[in-house]
Amino acid sequence: MSNQIFDVIIVGGGPIGLACGVEAQKQGLNYLILEKGALTNSIYNYPINMRFFSTSDRLEMAGIPFMSVENKPTRTEALEYYRRIYFHFKLKVNLYEGVKTLEKNGDNFLITTSKGSYQTQKIVLATGFYDLPNLMNVPGEELPKVMHYYKEPWPYIGQKLLVVGGANSAVDAALECWRKGAEVSMVLLGDEVDENVKYWVRPDIMNRIKEGSIKAFPRSKVKEIRDQEVVIATPTGDVTIDNDFVLAMTGYKPNFALLDQLGVELSLDEKRQPCYDQANQESNVPGVYLAGVVCGGLNTREFFIENSIVHAESIMADIAKKLD
């Protein structure tokens, strides 16, 4: 462990973590960003052909223009944009260094990672929620044919594919795989796909289900996954279908373990939203700040890149003031 004590360490090298790094530099703070994977790892893990719901201008940060061919940028265009941010500002980011433990160490905090340990006066958690999938907790979920992340349709050509979920990720995967020749079925919790599915995509999936090109099981749940079958609990009883692959697009959740280690309190309702001061993003634990979608807890539809970038400026201004 180095004797150096950072002013602030930012956990998470996604768009909001990078924005925090930019603002830390502007405030003259001694900072470090720790990212467990590649730069903007969550975006890297998005489906290869994904297009953002937001327009490129709403994703801009630090006065750097976000240029895209169309109004709504692609995953590749976003990766290129954040790469430019990283090099333009010469951000201090340790990539492929996952945080293991966070603890109070006198007046400071001790952070232990996969590669070392660090001391810091302040911590910013900008960990997002895309790295931890919501599990179905059913027999067979551990089988290698079950995926919680979707990249591209090519592995599923000519295969019997079950897509679990009815939100944007599930709908995109179902349509893309069906168009490449997969035999697609969907398990939906509600009567139909989510009403918040992208407005230009929702009519497409509804029509494919209506015409029978994609078989949907509404108000249903996966009960068991077997090597060559899946058992689905439907309102009329269990149904067993032949199956080669399962895409469990069941959503994701924040890293509550890191919050728990520091003693960040969570709301008692179903949202499990962390407690923080909306004026400066400081949690109930002095010196621990929250930035980005982690602020929403299990309500992953409240915070996005475009409405979380402002967290960076308020956090770093508050830290600079308190360390002055």
Side-chain angles (χ1 to χ4, degrees):
M1 182 176 66
S2 170
N3 291 327
Q4 179 183 17
I5 300 177
F6 289 92
D7 293 330
V8 56
I9 287 182
I10 301 153
V11 182
I16 306 305
L18 298 185
C20 287
V22 171
E23 293 299 327
Q25 283 191 181
K26 288 182 179 179
Q27 294 287 350
L29 298 172
N30 181 22
Y31 76 96
L32 177 66
I33 301 172
L34 298 173
E35 167 54 57
K36 75 175 186 178
L39 191 72
T40 59
N41 194 62
S42 293
I43 294 177
Y44 171 74
N45 284 316
Y46 283 174
I48 289 176
N49 297 321
M50 194 211 79
R51 188 174 293 277
F52 280 75
F53 189 89
S54 302
T55 56
S56 56
D57 61 300
R58 297 187 65 190
L59 300 175
E60 290 179 355
M61 67 171 68
I64 304 298
F66 188 163
M67 306 302 293
S68 59
V69 175
E70 297 185 20
N71 197 29
K72 298 177 186 299
T74 65
R75 163 189 174 272
T76 300
E77 288 171 331
L79 289 172
E80 172 60 21
Y81 177 70
Y82 295 116
R83 182 193 72 84
R84 288 173 55 216
I85 294 287
Y86 169 68
F87 282 110
H88 178 82
F89 290 98
K90 298 180 175 62
L91 293 174
K92 300 173 185 177
V93 185
N94 285 11
L95 299 171
Y96 301 101
E97 184 167 359
V99 170
K100 300 299 184 183
T101 60
L102 303 168
E103 58 184 294
K104 190 69 175 172
N105 184 33
D107 294 332
N108 302 315
F109 296 94
L110 176 64
I111 299 180
T112 304
T113 73
S114 57
K115 296 182 179 180
S117 57
Y118 306 87
Q119 292 189 78
T120 181
Q121 296 187 68
K122 310 289 184 183
I123 292 176
V124 177
L125 295 178
T127 50
F129 65 88
Y130 194 68
D131 289 331
L132 294 173
N134 290 316
L135 300 180
M136 297 178 289
N137 296 314
V138 299
E141 189 170 9
E142 74 285 352
L143 291 173
K145 73 173 189 174
V146 181
M147 316 290 177
H148 288 91
Y149 293 90
Y150 169 71
K151 295 295 289 184
E152 53 185 347
W154 309 111
Y156 309 111
I157 295 172
Q159 302 298 293
K160 294 178 175 60
L161 173 67
L162 179 66
V163 178
V164 183
N168 280 301
S169 297
V171 169
D172 286 345
L175 287 171
E176 206 170 55
C177 292
W178 172 73
R179 289 199 160 88
K180 291 297 184 283
E183 183 181 323
V184 179
S185 301
M186 297 183 75
V187 169
L188 307 173
L189 277 177
D191 292 320
E192 56 187 23
V193 298
D194 198 307
E195 62 180 12
N196 293 313
V197 167
K198 291 172 284 193
Y199 65 85
W200 64 93
V201 174
R202 196 170 189 274
D204 189 0
I205 189 66
M206 296 291 286
N207 287 332
R208 302 294 76 76
I209 292 173
K210 183 177 180 180
E211 70 187 15
S213 298
I214 293 176
K215 171 67 174 176
F217 294 90
R219 291 179 286 123
S220 301
K221 293 183 179 180
V222 172
K223 185 175 182 180
E224 182 182 357
I225 302 171
R226 302 169 183 164
D227 286 333
Q228 300 179 27
E229 298 175 327
V230 173
V231 181
I232 302 170
T234 76
T236 57
D238 291 352
V239 175
T240 301
I241 62 172
D242 294 335
N243 174 262
D244 298 307
F245 290 97
V246 176
L247 282 175
M249 303 288 95
T250 48
Y252 308 93
K253 59 186 177 182
N255 191 335
F256 287 121
L258 293 182
L259 298 173
D260 290 341
Q261 287 179 21
L262 290 168
V264 176
E265 295 178 356
L266 304 176
S267 64
L268 300 178
D269 58 14
E270 68 280 358
K271 293 181 180 180
R272 297 195 68 198
Q273 189 169 11
C275 297
Y276 66 95
D277 185 341
Q278 295 185 21
N280 57 15
Q281 302 297 126
E282 189 172 23
S283 73
N284 64 285
V285 180
V288 177
Y289 295 77
L290 307 178
V293 296
V294 69
C295 298
L298 294 178
N299 182 14
T300 56
R301 291 178 178 172
E302 183 175 351
F303 294 98
F304 307 93
I305 296 173
E306 59 264 36
N307 66 0
S308 298
I309 293 175
V310 295
H311 293 172
E313 184 174 356
S314 60
I315 288 172
M316 294 307 162
D318 191 68
I319 290 177
K321 179 180 177 181
K322 290 176 177 174
L323 294 182
D324 188 10

